[in-house]
PDB file of all heavy atoms in Angstrom:
ATOM      1  N   ALA A  18       0.834  -1.207   0.000  1.00 95.00           N
ATOM      2  CA  ALA A  18       0.000   0.000   0.000  1.00 95.00           C
ATOM      3  C   ALA A  18       0.868   1.257   0.000  1.00 95.00           C
ATOM      4  O   ALA A  18       0.612   2.201  -0.763  1.00 95.00           O
ATOM      5  CB  ALA A  18      -0.935  -0.010   1.207  1.00 95.00           C
ATOM      6  N   TYR A  19       1.902   1.277   0.834  1.00 95.00           N
ATOM      7  CA  TYR A  19       2.823   2.426   0.840  1.00 95.00           C
ATOM      8  C   TYR A  19       3.541   2.557  -0.505  1.00 95.00           C
ATOM      9  O   TYR A  19       3.779   3.665  -0.994  1.00 95.00           O
ATOM     10  CB  TYR A  19       3.839   2.286   1.966  1.00 95.00           C
ATOM     11  CG  TYR A  19       3.307   2.681   3.321  1.00 95.00           C
ATOM     12  CD1 TYR A  19       3.419   1.835   4.425  1.00 95.00           C
ATOM     13  CD2 TYR A  19       2.701   3.919   3.528  1.00 95.00           C
ATOM     14  CE1 TYR A  19       2.935   2.190   5.671  1.00 95.00           C
ATOM     15  CE2 TYR A  19       2.216   4.293   4.766  1.00 95.00           C
ATOM     16  CZ  TYR A  19       2.330   3.422   5.832  1.00 95.00           C
ATOM     17  OH  TYR A  19       1.844   3.797   7.063  1.00 95.00           O
ATOM     18  N   HIS A  20       3.885   1.408  -1.102  1.00 93.00           N
ATOM     19  CA  HIS A  20       4.513   1.428  -2.427  1.00 93.00           C
ATOM     20  C   HIS A  20       3.583   2.081  -3.453  1.00 93.00           C
ATOM     21  O   HIS A  20       4.018   2.863  -4.303  1.00 93.00           O
ATOM     22  CB  HIS A  20       4.847  -0.001  -2.842  1.00 93.00           C
ATOM     23  CG  HIS A  20       5.159  -0.184  -4.292  1.00 93.00           C
ATOM     24  ND1 HIS A  20       4.191  -0.502  -5.228  1.00 93.00           N
ATOM     25  CD2 HIS A  20       6.315  -0.094  -5.000  1.00 93.00           C
ATOM     26  CE1 HIS A  20       4.737  -0.589  -6.432  1.00 93.00           C
ATOM     27  NE2 HIS A  20       6.027  -0.345  -6.324  1.00 93.00           N
ATOM     28  N   ASN A  21       2.284   1.784  -3.360  1.00 91.00           N
ATOM     29  CA  ASN A  21       1.325   2.303  -4.331  1.00 91.00           C
ATOM     30  C   ASN A  21       1.157   3.820  -4.246  1.00 91.00           C
ATOM     31  O   ASN A  21       0.803   4.455  -5.240  1.00 91.00           O
ATOM     32  CB  ASN A  21      -0.034   1.626  -4.148  1.00 91.00           C
ATOM     33  CG  ASN A  21      -0.012   0.179  -4.609  1.00 91.00           C
ATOM     34  OD1 ASN A  21       0.967  -0.273  -5.196  1.00 91.00           O
ATOM     35  ND2 ASN A  21      -1.073  -0.549  -4.345  1.00 91.00           N
ATOM     36  N   ILE A  22       1.375   4.395  -3.059  1.00 89.00           N
ATOM     37  CA  ILE A  22       1.264   5.856  -2.931  1.00 89.00           C
ATOM     38  C   ILE A  22       2.648   6.510  -2.939  1.00 89.00           C
ATOM     39  O   ILE A  22       2.792   7.678  -2.584  1.00 89.00           O
ATOM     40  CB  ILE A  22       0.484   6.264  -1.660  1.00 89.00           C
ATOM     41  CG1 ILE A  22       1.129   5.680  -0.389  1.00 89.00           C
ATOM     42  CG2 ILE A  22      -0.973   5.883  -1.765  1.00 89.00           C
ATOM     43  CD1 ILE A  22       0.519   6.209   0.896  1.00 89.00           C
ATOM     44  N   ARG A  23       3.641   5.747  -3.351  1.00 88.00           N
ATOM     45  CA  ARG A  23       5.019   6.254  -3.514  1.00 88.00           C
ATOM     46  C   ARG A  23       5.610   6.775  -2.195  1.00 88.00           C
ATOM     47  O   ARG A  23       6.444   7.677  -2.202  1.00 88.00           O
ATOM     48  CB  ARG A  23       5.054   7.342  -4.590  1.00 88.00           C
ATOM     49  CG  ARG A  23       4.629   6.838  -5.956  1.00 88.00           C
ATOM     50  CD  ARG A  23       4.555   7.956  -6.982  1.00 88.00           C
ATOM     51  NE  ARG A  23       5.862   8.516  -7.270  1.00 88.00           N
ATOM     52  CZ  ARG A  23       6.727   8.003  -8.141  1.00 88.00           C
ATOM     53  NH1 ARG A  23       6.418   6.909  -8.801  1.00 88.00           N
ATOM     54  NH2 ARG A  23       7.881   8.592  -8.379  1.00 88.00           N
ATOM     55  N   ASP A  24       5.166   6.193  -1.075  1.00 91.00           N
ATOM     56  CA  ASP A  24       5.800   6.468   0.212  1.00 91.00           C
ATOM     57  C   ASP A  24       6.941   5.463   0.361  1.00 91.00           C
ATOM     58  O   ASP A  24       6.841   4.460   1.071  1.00 91.00           O
ATOM     59  CB  ASP A  24       4.780   6.337   1.349  1.00 91.00           C
ATOM     60  CG  ASP A  24       5.327   6.806   2.694  1.00 91.00           C
ATOM     61  OD1 ASP A  24       6.570   6.973   2.800  1.00 91.00           O
ATOM     62  OD2 ASP A  24       4.536   7.001   3.626  1.00 91.00           O
ATOM     63  N   ILE A  25       8.008   5.742  -0.344  1.00 93.00           N
ATOM     64  CA  ILE A  25       9.060   4.739  -0.543  1.00 93.00           C
ATOM     65  C   ILE A  25       9.783   4.402   0.749  1.00 93.00           C
ATOM     66  O   ILE A  25      10.085   3.229   1.017  1.00 93.00           O
ATOM     67  CB  ILE A  25      10.050   5.239  -1.617  1.00 93.00           C
ATOM     68  CG1 ILE A  25       9.317   5.375  -2.956  1.00 93.00           C
ATOM     69  CG2 ILE A  25      11.235   4.291  -1.758  1.00 93.00           C
ATOM     70  CD1 ILE A  25      10.140   5.992  -4.053  1.00 93.00           C
ATOM     71  N   ASP A  26      10.052   5.400   1.582  1.00 94.00           N
ATOM     72  CA  ASP A  26      10.812   5.142   2.807  1.00 94.00           C
ATOM     73  C   ASP A  26      10.064   4.204   3.752  1.00 94.00           C
ATOM     74  O   ASP A  26      10.643   3.260   4.301  1.00 94.00           O
ATOM     75  CB  ASP A  26      11.129   6.463   3.509  1.00 94.00           C
ATOM     76  CG  ASP A  26      12.119   7.310   2.713  1.00 94.00           C
ATOM     77  OD1 ASP A  26      12.894   6.720   1.941  1.00 94.00           O
ATOM     78  OD2 ASP A  26      12.100   8.539   2.849  1.00 94.00           O
ATOM     79  N   ASN A  27       8.759   4.462   3.964  1.00 95.00           N
ATOM     80  CA  ASN A  27       7.966   3.582   4.830  1.00 95.00           C
ATOM     81  C   ASN A  27       7.860   2.177   4.240  1.00 95.00           C
ATOM     82  O   ASN A  27       7.937   1.183   4.974  1.00 95.00           O
ATOM     83  CB  ASN A  27       6.564   4.162   5.036  1.00 95.00           C
ATOM     84  CG  ASN A  27       6.498   5.100   6.224  1.00 95.00           C
ATOM     85  OD1 ASN A  27       7.217   4.922   7.206  1.00 95.00           O
ATOM     86  ND2 ASN A  27       5.663   6.110   6.135  1.00 95.00           N
ATOM     87  N   ALA A  28       7.668   2.092   2.935  1.00 96.00           N
ATOM     88  CA  ALA A  28       7.564   0.780   2.297  1.00 96.00           C
ATOM     89  C   ALA A  28       8.867  -0.003   2.434  1.00 96.00           C
ATOM     90  O   ALA A  28       8.859  -1.199   2.744  1.00 96.00           O
ATOM     91  CB  ALA A  28       7.198   0.953   0.822  1.00 96.00           C
ATOM     92  N   LEU A  29      10.004   0.666   2.215  1.00 96.00           N
ATOM     93  CA  LEU A  29      11.300  -0.006   2.354  1.00 96.00           C
ATOM     94  C   LEU A  29      11.524  -0.494   3.781  1.00 96.00           C
ATOM     95  O   LEU A  29      12.034  -1.601   3.990  1.00 96.00           O
ATOM     96  CB  LEU A  29      12.421   0.946   1.945  1.00 96.00           C
ATOM     97  CG  LEU A  29      12.671   1.124   0.443  1.00 96.00           C
ATOM     98  CD1 LEU A  29      13.695   2.227   0.203  1.00 96.00           C
ATOM     99  CD2 LEU A  29      13.155  -0.183  -0.180  1.00 96.00           C
ATOM    100  N   ALA A  30      11.140   0.327   4.755  1.00 96.00           N
ATOM    101  CA  ALA A  30      11.319  -0.069   6.159  1.00 96.00           C
ATOM    102  C   ALA A  30      10.504  -1.315   6.480  1.00 96.00           C
ATOM    103  O   ALA A  30      10.986  -2.233   7.162  1.00 96.00           O
ATOM    104  CB  ALA A  30      10.923   1.090   7.070  1.00 96.00           C
ATOM    105  N   LEU A  31       9.278  -1.373   5.983  1.00 96.00           N
ATOM    106  CA  LEU A  31       8.423  -2.535   6.255  1.00 96.00           C
ATOM    107  C   LEU A  31       8.945  -3.788   5.556  1.00 96.00           C
ATOM    108  O   LEU A  31       8.958  -4.876   6.142  1.00 96.00           O
ATOM    109  CB  LEU A  31       6.993  -2.240   5.800  1.00 96.00           C
ATOM    110  CG  LEU A  31       6.188  -1.324   6.722  1.00 96.00           C
ATOM    111  CD1 LEU A  31       4.901  -0.876   6.047  1.00 96.00           C
ATOM    112  CD2 LEU A  31       5.860  -2.043   8.029  1.00 96.00           C
ATOM    113  N   PHE A  32       9.383  -3.657   4.315  1.00 96.00           N
ATOM    114  CA  PHE A  32       9.929  -4.818   3.607  1.00 96.00           C
ATOM    115  C   PHE A  32      11.223  -5.303   4.256  1.00 96.00           C
ATOM    116  O   PHE A  32      11.477  -6.509   4.331  1.00 96.00           O
ATOM    117  CB  PHE A  32      10.178  -4.481   2.140  1.00 96.00           C
ATOM    118  CG  PHE A  32       8.977  -4.678   1.259  1.00 96.00           C
ATOM    119  CD1 PHE A  32       8.463  -3.633   0.502  1.00 96.00           C
ATOM    120  CD2 PHE A  32       8.356  -5.921   1.189  1.00 96.00           C
ATOM    121  CE1 PHE A  32       7.359  -3.820  -0.312  1.00 96.00           C
ATOM    122  CE2 PHE A  32       7.248  -6.117   0.368  1.00 96.00           C
ATOM    123  CZ  PHE A  32       6.753  -5.064  -0.374  1.00 96.00           C
ATOM    124  N   SER A  33      12.033  -4.373   4.729  1.00 95.00           N
ATOM    125  CA  SER A  33      13.263  -4.764   5.412  1.00 95.00           C
ATOM    126  C   SER A  33      12.944  -5.541   6.688  1.00 95.00           C
ATOM    127  O   SER A  33      13.574  -6.568   6.986  1.00 95.00           O
ATOM    128  CB  SER A  33      14.085  -3.512   5.743  1.00 95.00           C
ATOM    129  OG  SER A  33      15.268  -3.849   6.429  1.00 95.00           O
ATOM    130  N   ASP A  34      11.944  -5.070   7.431  1.00 95.00           N
ATOM    131  CA  ASP A  34      11.505  -5.774   8.645  1.00 95.00           C
ATOM    132  C   ASP A  34      10.943  -7.150   8.289  1.00 95.00           C
ATOM    133  O   ASP A  34      11.189  -8.146   8.987  1.00 95.00           O
ATOM    134  CB  ASP A  34      10.458  -4.931   9.375  1.00 95.00           C
ATOM    135  CG  ASP A  34       9.903  -5.631  10.606  1.00 95.00           C
ATOM    136  OD1 ASP A  34      10.688  -5.932  11.523  1.00 95.00           O
ATOM    137  OD2 ASP A  34       8.683  -5.895  10.644  1.00 95.00           O
ATOM    138  N   LEU A  35      10.199  -7.206   7.186  1.00 95.00           N
ATOM    139  CA  LEU A  35       9.614  -8.474   6.752  1.00 95.00           C
ATOM    140  C   LEU A  35      10.701  -9.486   6.402  1.00 95.00           C
ATOM    141  O   LEU A  35      10.582 -10.677   6.710  1.00 95.00           O
ATOM    142  CB  LEU A  35       8.714  -8.216   5.540  1.00 95.00           C
ATOM    143  CG  LEU A  35       7.791  -9.342   5.087  1.00 95.00           C
ATOM    144  CD1 LEU A  35       6.775  -9.693   6.162  1.00 95.00           C
ATOM    145  CD2 LEU A  35       7.073  -8.940   3.806  1.00 95.00           C
ATOM    146  N   ARG A  36      11.776  -9.023   5.764  1.00 95.00           N
ATOM    147  CA  ARG A  36      12.887  -9.909   5.418  1.00 95.00           C
ATOM    148  C   ARG A  36      13.565 -10.474   6.671  1.00 95.00           C
ATOM    149  O   ARG A  36      14.005 -11.628   6.679  1.00 95.00           O
ATOM    150  CB  ARG A  36      13.920  -9.148   4.586  1.00 95.00           C
ATOM    151  CG  ARG A  36      13.481  -8.829   3.186  1.00 95.00           C
ATOM    152  CD  ARG A  36      13.752  -9.966   2.225  1.00 95.00           C
ATOM    153  NE  ARG A  36      15.177 -10.197   2.045  1.00 95.00           N
ATOM    154  CZ  ARG A  36      15.703 -11.314   1.540  1.00 95.00           C
ATOM    155  NH1 ARG A  36      14.924 -12.306   1.196  1.00 95.00           N
ATOM    156  NH2 ARG A  36      17.003 -11.433   1.398  1.00 95.00           N
ATOM    157  N   LYS A  37      13.633  -9.664   7.724  1.00 94.00           N
ATOM    158  CA  LYS A  37      14.236 -10.145   8.969  1.00 94.00           C
ATOM    159  C   LYS A  37      13.351 -11.184   9.640  1.00 94.00           C
ATOM    160  O   LYS A  37      13.833 -12.179  10.186  1.00 94.00           O
ATOM    161  CB  LYS A  37      14.474  -8.968   9.915  1.00 94.00           C
ATOM    162  CG  LYS A  37      15.561  -8.009   9.447  1.00 94.00           C
ATOM    163  CD  LYS A  37      15.663  -6.806  10.357  1.00 94.00           C
ATOM    164  CE  LYS A  37      16.689  -5.804   9.831  1.00 94.00           C
ATOM    165  NZ  LYS A  37      16.708  -4.559  10.647  1.00 94.00           N
ATOM    166  N   ARG A  38      12.043 -10.955   9.601  1.00 93.00           N
ATOM    167  CA  ARG A  38      11.105 -11.868  10.249  1.00 93.00           C
ATOM    168  C   ARG A  38      10.929 -13.163   9.469  1.00 93.00           C
ATOM    169  O   ARG A  38      10.693 -14.225  10.053  1.00 93.00           O
ATOM    170  CB  ARG A  38       9.743 -11.181  10.424  1.00 93.00           C
ATOM    171  CG  ARG A  38       9.775 -10.044  11.425  1.00 93.00           C
ATOM    172  CD  ARG A  38       8.512  -9.191  11.371  1.00 93.00           C
ATOM    173  NE  ARG A  38       7.299  -9.946  11.643  1.00 93.00           N
ATOM    174  CZ  ARG A  38       6.091  -9.399  11.712  1.00 93.00           C
ATOM    175  NH1 ARG A  38       5.935  -8.101  11.509  1.00 93.00           N
ATOM    176  NH2 ARG A  38       5.029 -10.134  11.973  1.00 93.00           N
ATOM    177  N   ASP A  39      10.990 -13.068   8.138  1.00 93.00           N
ATOM    178  CA  ASP A  39      10.735 -14.231   7.278  1.00 93.00           C
ATOM    179  C   ASP A  39      11.751 -14.206   6.128  1.00 93.00           C
ATOM    180  O   ASP A  39      11.423 -13.876   4.989  1.00 93.00           O
ATOM    181  CB  ASP A  39       9.304 -14.157   6.743  1.00 93.00           C
ATOM    182  CG  ASP A  39       8.850 -15.468   6.103  1.00 93.00           C
ATOM    183  OD1 ASP A  39       9.682 -16.392   6.017  1.00 93.00           O
ATOM    184  OD2 ASP A  39       7.685 -15.556   5.689  1.00 93.00           O
ATOM    185  N   PRO A  40      13.024 -14.565   6.414  1.00 94.00           N
ATOM    186  CA  PRO A  40      14.097 -14.374   5.420  1.00 94.00           C
ATOM    187  C   PRO A  40      13.955 -15.223   4.166  1.00 94.00           C
ATOM    188  O   PRO A  40      14.591 -14.931   3.156  1.00 94.00           O
ATOM    189  CB  PRO A  40      15.363 -14.745   6.194  1.00 94.00           C
ATOM    190  CG  PRO A  40      14.893 -15.606   7.320  1.00 94.00           C
ATOM    191  CD  PRO A  40      13.532 -15.108   7.681  1.00 94.00           C
ATOM    192  N   TYR A  41      13.149 -16.278   4.208  1.00 94.00           N
ATOM    193  CA  TYR A  41      12.994 -17.139   3.037  1.00 94.00           C
ATOM    194  C   TYR A  41      11.692 -16.849   2.280  1.00 94.00           C
ATOM    195  O   TYR A  41      11.316 -17.602   1.383  1.00 94.00           O
ATOM    196  CB  TYR A  41      13.057 -18.616   3.441  1.00 94.00           C
ATOM    197  CG  TYR A  41      14.427 -19.009   3.927  1.00 94.00           C
ATOM    198  CD1 TYR A  41      14.735 -19.008   5.282  1.00 94.00           C
ATOM    199  CD2 TYR A  41      15.435 -19.346   3.029  1.00 94.00           C
ATOM    200  CE1 TYR A  41      16.005 -19.333   5.722  1.00 94.00           C
ATOM    201  CE2 TYR A  41      16.699 -19.681   3.463  1.00 94.00           C
ATOM    202  CZ  TYR A  41      16.975 -19.667   4.815  1.00 94.00           C
ATOM    203  OH  TYR A  41      18.244 -19.990   5.249  1.00 94.00           O
ATOM    204  N   ARG A  42      11.038 -15.770   2.623  1.00 94.00           N
ATOM    205  CA  ARG A  42       9.812 -15.383   1.926  1.00 94.00           C
ATOM    206  C   ARG A  42      10.157 -14.864   0.527  1.00 94.00           C
ATOM    207  O   ARG A  42      11.083 -14.070   0.361  1.00 94.00           O
ATOM    208  CB  ARG A  42       9.083 -14.295   2.717  1.00 94.00           C
ATOM    209  CG  ARG A  42       7.783 -13.810   2.070  1.00 94.00           C
ATOM    210  CD  ARG A  42       7.213 -12.601   2.792  1.00 94.00           C
ATOM    211  NE  ARG A  42       5.992 -12.136   2.160  1.00 94.00           N
ATOM    212  CZ  ARG A  42       4.776 -12.504   2.494  1.00 94.00           C
ATOM    213  NH1 ARG A  42       4.612 -13.342   3.495  1.00 94.00           N
ATOM    214  NH2 ARG A  42       3.711 -12.039   1.862  1.00 94.00           N
ATOM    215  N   ILE A  43       9.399 -15.302  -0.471  1.00 95.00           N
ATOM    216  CA  ILE A  43       9.611 -14.846  -1.847  1.00 95.00           C
ATOM    217  C   ILE A  43       8.457 -13.960  -2.327  1.00 95.00           C
ATOM    218  O   ILE A  43       8.662 -13.058  -3.133  1.00 95.00           O
ATOM    219  CB  ILE A  43       9.796 -16.053  -2.794  1.00 95.00           C
ATOM    220  CG1 ILE A  43      11.085 -16.802  -2.422  1.00 95.00           C
ATOM    221  CG2 ILE A  43       9.861 -15.612  -4.246  1.00 95.00           C
ATOM    222  CD1 ILE A  43      11.377 -18.000  -3.295  1.00 95.00           C
ATOM    223  N   GLU A  44       7.259 -14.193  -1.790  1.00 94.00           N
ATOM    224  CA  GLU A  44       6.128 -13.376  -2.199  1.00 94.00           C
ATOM    225  C   GLU A  44       6.384 -11.893  -1.935  1.00 94.00           C
ATOM    226  O   GLU A  44       6.939 -11.529  -0.907  1.00 94.00           O
ATOM    227  CB  GLU A  44       4.841 -13.780  -1.449  1.00 94.00           C
ATOM    228  CG  GLU A  44       4.322 -15.153  -1.786  1.00 94.00           C
ATOM    229  CD  GLU A  44       4.886 -16.210  -0.871  1.00 94.00           C
ATOM    230  OE1 GLU A  44       5.956 -15.977  -0.269  1.00 94.00           O
ATOM    231  OE2 GLU A  44       4.260 -17.286  -0.755  1.00 94.00           O
ATOM    232  N   ASN A  45       5.994 -11.052  -2.878  1.00 95.00           N
ATOM    233  CA  ASN A  45       6.093  -9.588  -2.788  1.00 95.00           C
ATOM    234  C   ASN A  45       7.511  -9.052  -2.900  1.00 95.00           C
ATOM    235  O   ASN A  45       7.718  -7.836  -2.856  1.00 95.00           O
ATOM    236  CB  ASN A  45       5.458  -9.053  -1.483  1.00 95.00           C
ATOM    237  CG  ASN A  45       4.052  -9.525  -1.269  1.00 95.00           C
ATOM    238  OD1 ASN A  45       3.768 -10.262  -0.327  1.00 95.00           O
ATOM    239  ND2 ASN A  45       3.148  -9.093  -2.143  1.00 95.00           N
ATOM    240  N   MET A  46       8.506  -9.945  -3.047  1.00 96.00           N
ATOM    241  CA  MET A  46       9.876  -9.443  -3.124  1.00 96.00           C
ATOM    242  C   MET A  46      10.155  -8.710  -4.436  1.00 96.00           C
ATOM    243  O   MET A  46      11.072  -7.904  -4.509  1.00 96.00           O
ATOM    244  CB  MET A  46      10.868 -10.593  -2.936  1.00 96.00           C
ATOM    245  CG  MET A  46      10.933 -11.141  -1.515  1.00 96.00           C
ATOM    246  SD  MET A  46      11.408  -9.901  -0.286  1.00 96.00           S
ATOM    247  CE  MET A  46       9.846  -9.647   0.571  1.00 96.00           C
ATOM    248  N   ASP A  47       9.351  -8.977  -5.461  1.00 95.00           N
ATOM    249  CA  ASP A  47       9.505  -8.201  -6.689  1.00 95.00           C
ATOM    250  C   ASP A  47       9.086  -6.747  -6.467  1.00 95.00           C
ATOM    251  O   ASP A  47       9.692  -5.820  -7.014  1.00 95.00           O
ATOM    252  CB  ASP A  47       8.709  -8.827  -7.835  1.00 95.00           C
ATOM    253  CG  ASP A  47       7.267  -9.107  -7.470  1.00 95.00           C
ATOM    254  OD1 ASP A  47       6.961  -9.251  -6.267  1.00 95.00           O
ATOM    255  OD2 ASP A  47       6.420  -9.191  -8.382  1.00 95.00           O
ATOM    256  N   THR A  48       8.069  -6.536  -5.621  1.00 96.00           N
ATOM    257  CA  THR A  48       7.675  -5.167  -5.258  1.00 96.00           C
ATOM    258  C   THR A  48       8.787  -4.489  -4.468  1.00 96.00           C
ATOM    259  O   THR A  48       9.092  -3.305  -4.677  1.00 96.00           O
ATOM    260  CB  THR A  48       6.375  -5.188  -4.437  1.00 96.00           C
ATOM    261  OG1 THR A  48       5.354  -5.870  -5.167  1.00 96.00           O
ATOM    262  CG2 THR A  48       5.904  -3.767  -4.123  1.00 96.00           C
ATOM    263  N   TYR A  49       9.400  -5.238  -3.555  1.00 97.00           N
ATOM    264  CA  TYR A  49      10.534  -4.714  -2.792  1.00 97.00           C
ATOM    265  C   TYR A  49      11.667  -4.303  -3.739  1.00 97.00           C
ATOM    266  O   TYR A  49      12.287  -3.247  -3.588  1.00 97.00           O
ATOM    267  CB  TYR A  49      10.999  -5.788  -1.811  1.00 97.00           C
ATOM    268  CG  TYR A  49      12.125  -5.397  -0.884  1.00 97.00           C
ATOM    269  CD1 TYR A  49      12.306  -4.076  -0.464  1.00 97.00           C
ATOM    270  CD2 TYR A  49      13.013  -6.353  -0.408  1.00 97.00           C
ATOM    271  CE1 TYR A  49      13.330  -3.722   0.391  1.00 97.00           C
ATOM    272  CE2 TYR A  49      14.043  -6.015   0.454  1.00 97.00           C
ATOM    273  CZ  TYR A  49      14.205  -4.703   0.841  1.00 97.00           C
ATOM    274  OH  TYR A  49      15.234  -4.351   1.697  1.00 97.00           O
ATOM    275  N   SER A  50      11.904  -5.133  -4.763  1.00 96.00           N
ATOM    276  CA  SER A  50      12.976  -4.809  -5.700  1.00 96.00           C
ATOM    277  C   SER A  50      12.647  -3.554  -6.515  1.00 96.00           C
ATOM    278  O   SER A  50      13.551  -2.796  -6.888  1.00 96.00           O
ATOM    279  CB  SER A  50      13.240  -5.992  -6.636  1.00 96.00           C
ATOM    280  OG  SER A  50      12.211  -6.153  -7.592  1.00 96.00           O
ATOM    281  N   ASN A  51      11.351  -3.322  -6.794  1.00 95.00           N
ATOM    282  CA  ASN A  51      10.961  -2.087  -7.480  1.00 95.00           C
ATOM    283  C   ASN A  51      11.357  -0.855  -6.668  1.00 95.00           C
ATOM    284  O   ASN A  51      11.824   0.151  -7.211  1.00 95.00           O
ATOM    285  CB  ASN A  51       9.443  -2.062  -7.719  1.00 95.00           C
ATOM    286  CG  ASN A  51       8.986  -3.105  -8.710  1.00 95.00           C
ATOM    287  OD1 ASN A  51       9.786  -3.635  -9.473  1.00 95.00           O
ATOM    288  ND2 ASN A  51       7.708  -3.418  -8.693  1.00 95.00           N
ATOM    289  N   LEU A  52      11.163  -0.946  -5.354  1.00 96.00           N
ATOM    290  CA  LEU A  52      11.506   0.173  -4.464  1.00 96.00           C
ATOM    291  C   LEU A  52      13.016   0.394  -4.434  1.00 96.00           C
ATOM    292  O   LEU A  52      13.487   1.543  -4.480  1.00 96.00           O
ATOM    293  CB  LEU A  52      10.981  -0.108  -3.055  1.00 96.00           C
ATOM    294  CG  LEU A  52       9.456  -0.174  -2.914  1.00 96.00           C
ATOM    295  CD1 LEU A  52       9.080  -0.835  -1.598  1.00 96.00           C
ATOM    296  CD2 LEU A  52       8.850   1.222  -2.993  1.00 96.00           C
ATOM    297  N   LEU A  53      13.775  -0.694  -4.346  1.00 96.00           N
ATOM    298  CA  LEU A  53      15.232  -0.572  -4.354  1.00 96.00           C
ATOM    299  C   LEU A  53      15.716   0.006  -5.689  1.00 96.00           C
ATOM    300  O   LEU A  53      16.666   0.785  -5.727  1.00 96.00           O
ATOM    301  CB  LEU A  53      15.871  -1.945  -4.120  1.00 96.00           C
ATOM    302  CG  LEU A  53      15.604  -2.579  -2.748  1.00 96.00           C
ATOM    303  CD1 LEU A  53      16.148  -4.009  -2.705  1.00 96.00           C
ATOM    304  CD2 LEU A  53      16.230  -1.752  -1.630  1.00 96.00           C
ATOM    305  N   TYR A  54      15.032  -0.355  -6.761  1.00 96.00           N
ATOM    306  CA  TYR A  54      15.363   0.175  -8.087  1.00 96.00           C
ATOM    307  C   TYR A  54      15.140   1.684  -8.134  1.00 96.00           C
ATOM    308  O   TYR A  54      16.004   2.436  -8.608  1.00 96.00           O
ATOM    309  CB  TYR A  54      14.491  -0.529  -9.123  1.00 96.00           C
ATOM    310  CG  TYR A  54      14.716  -0.084 -10.556  1.00 96.00           C
ATOM    311  CD1 TYR A  54      15.571  -0.790 -11.392  1.00 96.00           C
ATOM    312  CD2 TYR A  54      14.062   1.035 -11.072  1.00 96.00           C
ATOM    313  CE1 TYR A  54      15.777  -0.395 -12.701  1.00 96.00           C
ATOM    314  CE2 TYR A  54      14.268   1.444 -12.378  1.00 96.00           C
ATOM    315  CZ  TYR A  54      15.119   0.728 -13.184  1.00 96.00           C
ATOM    316  OH  TYR A  54      15.318   1.130 -14.476  1.00 96.00           O
ATOM    317  N   VAL A  55      13.995   2.127  -7.631  1.00 94.00           N
ATOM    318  CA  VAL A  55      13.668   3.555  -7.655  1.00 94.00           C
ATOM    319  C   VAL A  55      14.674   4.359  -6.834  1.00 94.00           C
ATOM    320  O   VAL A  55      15.076   5.472  -7.212  1.00 94.00           O
ATOM    321  CB  VAL A  55      12.228   3.784  -7.136  1.00 94.00           C
ATOM    322  CG1 VAL A  55      11.951   5.267  -6.911  1.00 94.00           C
ATOM    323  CG2 VAL A  55      11.219   3.211  -8.116  1.00 94.00           C
ATOM    324  N   LYS A  56      15.107   3.803  -5.707  1.00 94.00           N
ATOM    325  CA  LYS A  56      16.067   4.492  -4.830  1.00 94.00           C
ATOM    326  C   LYS A  56      17.517   4.277  -5.272  1.00 94.00           C
ATOM    327  O   LYS A  56      18.445   4.743  -4.611  1.00 94.00           O
ATOM    328  CB  LYS A  56      15.901   4.010  -3.385  1.00 94.00           C
ATOM    329  CG  LYS A  56      14.560   4.359  -2.763  1.00 94.00           C
ATOM    330  CD  LYS A  56      14.391   5.848  -2.532  1.00 94.00           C
ATOM    331  CE  LYS A  56      15.092   6.303  -1.288  1.00 94.00           C
ATOM    332  NZ  LYS A  56      14.803   7.713  -0.957  1.00 94.00           N
TER     333      LYS A  56
END
């Protein structure tokens, strides 16, 4: 949702936290990569 409104910093923080909690998760990681690409 934060990604969709271009609130990139909040979205990156949440995805980073998600990676720590579930490091083998693959779902939504393409969205995370879009944010890293933009930044």
Side-chain angles (χ1 to χ4, degrees):
Y19 280 128
H20 165 269
N21 288 352
I22 57 172
R23 298 175 66 84
D24 188 346
I25 296 174
D26 292 334
N27 271 328
L29 281 173
L31 284 169
F32 273 123
S33 179
D34 177 61
L35 192 63
R36 289 274 294 162
K37 291 175 184 175
R38 292 168 59 177
D39 193 356
Y41 293 95
R42 180 188 179 93
I43 295 181
E44 293 91 338
N45 307 115
M46 289 301 108
D47 51 336
T48 304
Y49 183 30
S50 73
N51 293 342
L52 295 164
L53 295 173
Y54 180 96
V55 170
K56 295 292 280 187

